[in-house]
Structure formats: structure tokens, C-alpha cells
Amino acid sequence: MNDKIYCSCCGVENSINQNYCKDCGEVLHNFKEYETNNEINTIEELFTATHYHQLTDKILRIESYKAIIQNIIETGENEIIYKKKMTPLNRIKAIADAYAKVIYKNRGNTYGEYAYNVICIDKQFDSAIQIATILHELTHHLFNEIIEEILIFLWNVRKTPMLESFIQTMITIPSILLISEYCASSIEKEYLPPEYVSYSSFNSICADLNYDKNIILRAVIIGKSMTESIHQILSTFIDKELEEKIIKEFQINNTKTIAEPICITDIEKSNYILQNVYLMDMIINSYEIMNDKQIYPKIIKNKEYYEKFYEKESA
């Protein structure tokens, strides 16, 4: 059990025995133990002045962000199911299943896709490509999870289909999708042979954005730090032995190379301070953009998809 609690308002570290922040007086809650009845189930409950000011006024400290990542790690540890003599593909699938749901379908020429907590993999491709695709799509899911946990922390609410729908709709904004694609391809870079790492989706979005340097710079700063966080999550489950087996899968299958280098000069170092500033700016800007009556139907439709997902899971 953690012996520290970080205030969701000011980010100050407090003792686990304290009920109120020693600095600002905000009510404290522990990530694992705190149970709230606060829920967001409607558009009216999602877009409120209170939620907006909680985004603009509260501080996401580095310590709070790290605690969020640790919470996501422990969620996976509690959910993962391993079996004896699992292949590298089955082990990667087990990791993904701890966070989302992996299904197999014939999808023509697409390797896979992710939406609504479901990772869809084309079973026509060899095991190495399937591993790469699961890692890529799982990264998209973990990206969503990080954003969602930040909102749960700042808003002091429970996970609901409406909250998940908000995140799912948010990542359709090109500048946000750009970050998610950067993370997904960068995670490939951590685990795959270099000749199989492709930034094609990232490059395509950059082109759609007319290679706007400011948008891309912010995306890479956020993406690089979030990639480190997602890698931290995955490295809890993917040890050196499994890493080596993943590499061998490409050799065994003699998989055709699909590499496409990133279209920009990369940034060498992460910047956690800028990351959190830019990350909160991204969330605030997205909240403002999506608080639009023309976008509400899309959010509601996505909510219905999440509700159907949970209905199937509970059946």
C-alpha cells in the first residue's frame, strides 16, 4: 500500500493518514482505496463549469502522473492470466487481454484496429505481424487509459461509458490522434527489429496537418514522455526473454519488412514538465472543442458502443 497521497488539486504530497491536503485543504483520496459515487452519464453531466475549472485550475504534478501510471500497472497485474508453455504471441495477447479484449477477424489488407476497448487482429498475417499489431493497438488503448485516469483523478469520478466515450471521441481530433500514433509506433521501436517499425500513420497525419511545426512539436513532446510511460507499463510484463522471443518470431517467419521512418527530426530527450503542461493544454482544448452541440451526437453514439461492449462482457 502506498504511504503517500497526492492532492488532485495542488499536487502536494500528503501522508496516507490525512483526510485533507496539508497545503490547500482539498479532500484527499487514494487511487486504490477511494470509492466515489460520482458518475458522468450524460452530456449535461460531462460538460459543466465545474469540470472545466477543475481542468484549468488543478495541477497535474509529476508525482500524481507517476501514481496514475503505477495504478494502471497494478490493474494489469491483477487481471493478467498466464498459461503454461505460451507462445510469444499468446503471451502478448494475454497482456493485451488484461487491459482490453483481443478478437480475431479477417480484415483484408489491414493488420488490425482498435476502438471501444476492443483490439481487432487480422489472423491472416503471421505471428510476428500479429504481435506487432497487438502492441501497436494496445498502445492506443493504454494512451486512452492514461487520459481517462487523469480525468478520473482530477474530476473525482468513476469510469463510465460516457467518460470512455469522451476519450474515444477526443482521439479523433487529428492533433490528438497524432500523439497516439507517435506512441504506438514508438512502442514498436522498443520491441521490434528496426526494419519492421513503421511511422506511416503518424506521417500521414502530419501531412494532413500540413506539417504544422507547432502541432507536431507538441505532439512529439507529449508523445515521447507518454511512450516512456506506456513502455514502463508494458515492461512490467515483457521481460528480456520475451523481448528476444519476439525478435526471433520475425526471423522464424521471415516476415516481409514494412519499415517507414518518421518524417521529422526526432527530439532526443523527454521533458516531463513540458509534457504535463502540454498534456493538460491538450485535454482542456479538446474539452472546449467537444463542448459543441454538433459533436454531442457523436459522443452519445460512442457511449452506446461502450454500453454494448459491457453488455456483451457481462453476458
Side-chain angles (χ1 to χ4, degrees):
M1 181 184 296
N2 290 337
D3 58 357
K4 302 173 185 176
I5 302 178
Y6 296 97
C7 178
S8 62
C9 183
C10 68
V12 166
E13 177 185 303
N14 292 268
S15 166
I16 196 168
N17 298 318
Q18 291 177 240
N19 294 319
Y20 300 92
C21 177
K22 63 186 179 183
D23 191 62
C24 71
E26 179 79 4
V27 176
L28 298 171
H29 64 268
N30 182 276
F31 282 101
K32 302 173 188 58
E33 296 186 341
Y34 187 82
E35 292 291 338
T36 178
N37 292 320
N38 298 333
E39 291 187 352
I40 298 173
N41 294 307
T42 66
I43 288 290
E44 292 75 19
E45 292 170 349
L46 176 62
F47 293 105
T48 67
T50 298
H51 284 159
Y52 181 73
H53 288 302
Q54 285 172 326
L55 294 178
T56 57
D57 297 346
K58 289 188 175 183
I59 300 172
L60 180 64
R61 296 287 179 94
I62 294 173
E63 293 81 3
S64 301
Y65 179 81
K66 289 181 178 179
I68 285 170
I69 300 304
Q70 183 59 36
N71 193 48
I72 294 173
I73 290 172
E74 293 180 14
T75 296
E77 289 176 327
N78 292 333
E79 295 293 330
I80 196 163
I81 300 174
Y82 284 133
K83 296 179 181 179
K84 292 182 179 180
K85 297 182 179 180
M86 296 179 78
T87 65
L89 173 58
N90 285 337
R91 283 190 64 184
I92 294 299
K93 182 179 180 296
I95 295 166
D97 278 329
Y99 289 103
K101 182 178 180 64
V102 180
I103 62 174
Y104 286 91
K105 290 185 178 180
N106 293 322
R107 289 283 184 176
N109 294 323
T110 59
Y111 295 127
E113 57 191 22
Y114 166 77
Y116 313 112
N117 295 338
V118 176
I119 297 171
C120 181
I121 304 300
D122 190 334
K123 62 183 180 181
Q124 297 181 85
F125 294 100
D126 66 44
S127 59
I129 291 296
Q130 289 184 41
I131 288 171
T133 305
I134 292 173
L135 287 172
H136 187 100
E137 304 304 336
L138 176 57
T139 299
H140 286 312
H141 177 77
L142 292 174
F143 178 88
N144 288 14
E145 282 290 302
I146 292 171
I147 302 300
E148 187 172 55
E149 288 291 333
I150 289 171
L151 292 178
I152 287 171
F153 176 62
L154 294 176
W155 287 345
N156 185 24
V157 295
R158 298 170 62 183
K159 178 181 286 191
T160 61
M162 177 57 79
L163 183 60
E164 290 183 286
S165 172
F166 173 76
I167 306 298
Q168 183 68 38
T169 310
M170 185 177 83
I171 64 168
T172 62
I173 299 172
S175 58
I176 313 303
L177 183 57
L178 185 68
I179 303 169
S180 187
E181 288 295 351
Y182 178 89
C183 292
S185 295
S186 296
I187 287 297
E188 289 181 18
K189 192 175 179 181
E190 295 289 342
Y191 295 108
L192 309 186
E195 59 269 28
Y196 299 99
V197 177
S198 175
Y199 281 87
S200 59
S201 296
F202 176 87
N203 293 343
S204 177
I205 299 169
C206 285
D208 291 340
L209 293 169
N210 296 317
Y211 298 99
D212 186 301
K213 290 184 179 179
N214 290 329
I215 293 175
I216 295 173
L217 175 64
R218 282 177 172 252
V220 172
I221 289 174
I222 297 171
K224 203 164 187 67
S225 292
M226 289 190 76
T227 296
E228 289 187 5
S229 299
I230 294 169
H231 184 235
Q232 179 187 348
I233 295 167
L234 293 176
S235 64
T236 305
F237 310 101
I238 303 176
D239 56 19
K240 291 296 181 183
E241 181 183 0
L242 181 53
E243 285 185 27
E244 292 173 0
K245 288 181 177 179
I246 290 172
I247 299 296
K248 286 182 180 179
E249 284 294 304
F250 286 88
Q251 298 169 350
I252 293 169
N253 287 283
N254 195 25
T255 304
K256 183 180 178 181
T257 59
I258 54 174
E260 182 176 326
I262 194 167
C263 65
I264 61 169
T265 302
D266 206 355
I267 295 173
E268 292 299 323
K269 295 182 179 179
S270 302
N271 187 321
Y272 277 107
I273 296 175
L274 272 181
Q275 174 220 339
N276 281 10
V277 171
Y278 287 168
L279 183 57
M280 287 309 303
D281 281 348
M282 176 196 80
I283 294 172
I284 292 166
N285 290 337
S286 300
Y287 189 81
E288 292 171 344
I289 290 170
M290 292 167 61
N291 189 8
D292 184 328
K293 290 182 179 179
Q294 293 184 340
I295 298 178
Y296 291 171
K298 186 175 182 180
I299 299 174
I300 293 170
K301 188 66 177 178
N302 283 338
K303 175 176 177 280
E304 292 172 359
Y305 284 127
Y306 277 106
E307 288 171 339
K308 289 178 181 177
F309 169 80
Y310 288 114
E311 285 174 6
K312 289 181 180 179
E313 288 297 290
S314 61

